[in-house]
Amino acid sequence: MSSFYQEIAKQHHDLVILPEKKLIHQFIDDLFVILFSNTSKSLESEATIKYKFNQLEKQFDELVLDFSPKSDQKQQTKNFFEAIPKLHKKALNDAVTIFTKDPAAKSLEEVLYSYPGFFAIAVYRFSHQLWEQDLKLLARTISEYAHIKTSIEIHPGAQIGKDFAIDHGTGIVIGETTIIGDNVQIYQGVTLGALSVKKDEAFIKRHPTIEDNVIIYANSTILGGQTTVGKDSIIGGNVWLTYTIPSNSVVYHKNEIKIRDNNPFPAPIFYSI
């Protein structure tokens, strides 16, 4: 075992030392309590909000130190916190969109407080900002926190427009080079993925483009960097799509069910689904 212990010790010596993931998770939780939860009357005070944000900046300073050169630390924190008002507005618009589209949602508070789809989208908004700031490992760690909590995986490198809605959400995968337009709605089990996973394709567009006003129903799979779903289209459940479709298309998976009765010579009945 001695050689194994030496191997593990060398591994720790060679790898970059990173903060415990729970510190990153706590930062996201603290940020979301301020931005999206209404759990304390104290948050109705402007002075309290300012104090809380000062504390958050200190937390972020400590985190970003492990992901960025020390000379960049303060600028990275400044850039991120200056982007928060814009990101907050986008996330709130997403929540309103979810509330508007989902008949099961009884209030905006319900969406903000308990919807996994909203949490995953909002975390994406913040992790994408960090991805754009070239804090890619931190962005990935934050996006994986949402994945752990919701079973929804949105890569922080994806480009997603405004008024994005996820209904239910379990099992959704949105790849790194996916482009999604405005007012798109996605249901559980949808994969926006690559046609292949070759390492030499790491720097090309591997994932599809979804244009404005598209609905993608449950368990559909859309693959390929050259695949585009045209605007105002509907993709039905369980569709497998690897080619571009034009605007205003409807794509659906068709099954036939044959039912027989006890008649020795029954006439089959066909139902198209």
Side-chain angles (χ1 to χ4, degrees):
M1 290 295 287
S2 177
S3 61
F4 175 69
Y5 298 151
Q6 291 175 12
E7 180 184 340
I8 297 300
K10 183 177 185 304
Q11 174 184 302
H12 283 281
H13 179 269
D14 293 343
L15 293 175
V16 174
I17 296 175
L18 298 169
E20 293 185 51
K21 288 183 180 179
K22 65 181 181 182
L23 298 176
I24 298 171
H25 299 172
Q26 188 62 55
F27 172 78
I28 291 298
D29 287 342
D30 291 346
L31 178 64
F32 274 51
V33 164
I34 296 171
L35 293 181
F36 304 117
S37 297
N38 191 23
T39 56
S40 172
K41 286 291 184 184
S42 68
L43 295 176
E44 295 179 3
S45 162
E46 182 181 342
T48 300
I49 297 298
K50 183 177 180 180
Y51 171 77
K52 293 284 189 181
F53 265 92
N54 286 337
Q55 295 300 109
L56 285 171
E57 287 194 39
K58 292 176 182 177
Q59 282 179 255
F60 191 82
D61 261 342
E62 292 297 319
L63 290 177
V64 81
L65 186 60
D66 296 302
F67 294 95
S68 180
K70 190 171 182 179
S71 58
D72 293 344
Q73 176 192 6
K74 294 295 183 183
Q75 188 61 48
Q76 290 282 20
T77 299
K78 182 174 184 290
N79 291 345
F80 180 69
F81 276 81
E82 284 182 348
I84 284 178
K86 174 189 68 177
L87 300 172
H88 175 248
K89 183 176 181 180
K90 280 187 177 181
L92 277 182
N93 287 341
D94 295 327
V96 171
T97 300
I98 292 171
F99 172 63
T100 301
K101 292 178 180 292
D102 185 1
K106 301 302 186 285
S107 67
L108 183 60
E109 288 83 358
E110 181 183 359
V111 174
L112 294 172
Y113 189 73
S114 65
Y115 268 47
F118 168 71
F119 183 78
I121 294 168
V123 168
Y124 158 77
R125 298 291 184 198
F126 291 95
S127 64
H128 181 71
Q129 173 64 33
L130 295 173
W131 187 267
E132 293 292 296
Q133 291 181 214
D134 205 29
L135 295 171
K136 289 186 167 51
L137 181 53
L138 179 57
R140 282 287 277 163
T141 306
I142 288 173
S143 69
E144 278 305 302
Y145 181 44
H147 186 197
I148 290 166
K149 291 191 71 170
T150 67
S151 295
I152 298 167
E153 182 176 355
I154 307 176
H155 195 287
Q159 300 176 46
I160 300 177
K162 64 184 180 181
D163 302 327
F164 184 46
I166 287 176
D167 199 347
H168 303 296
T170 304
I172 285 175
V173 177
I174 299 175
E176 175 187 5
T177 61
T178 303
I179 298 174
I180 297 176
D182 298 336
N183 193 39
V184 170
Q185 185 173 12
I186 294 179
Y187 285 78
Q188 69 273 15
V190 167
T191 297
L192 304 179
L195 273 169
S196 67
V197 289
K198 296 176 182 176
K199 192 65 177 178
D200 58 7
E201 296 179 355
F203 299 103
I204 66 172
K205 190 177 186 305
R206 308 182 304 282
H207 305 92
T209 296
I210 312 298
E211 294 185 345
D212 298 348
N213 309 316
V214 168
I215 301 174
I216 307 174
Y217 284 102
N219 299 315
S220 286
T221 298
I222 304 173
L223 305 178
Q226 302 306 308
T227 302
T228 296
V229 175
K231 65 181 181 178
D232 302 303
S233 292
I234 296 175
I235 308 298
N238 300 303
V239 164
W240 179 275
L241 187 65
T242 59
Y243 54 85
T244 292
I245 61 169
S247 300
N248 298 294
S249 296
V250 177
V251 182
Y252 62 95
H253 179 76
K254 185 177 181 181
N255 289 332
E256 288 189 337
I257 299 174
K258 183 186 294 185
I259 300 176
R260 295 183 181 274
D261 59 22
N262 291 326
N263 186 325
F265 304 102
I269 303 172
F270 294 93
Y271 295 84
S272 294
I273 298 177

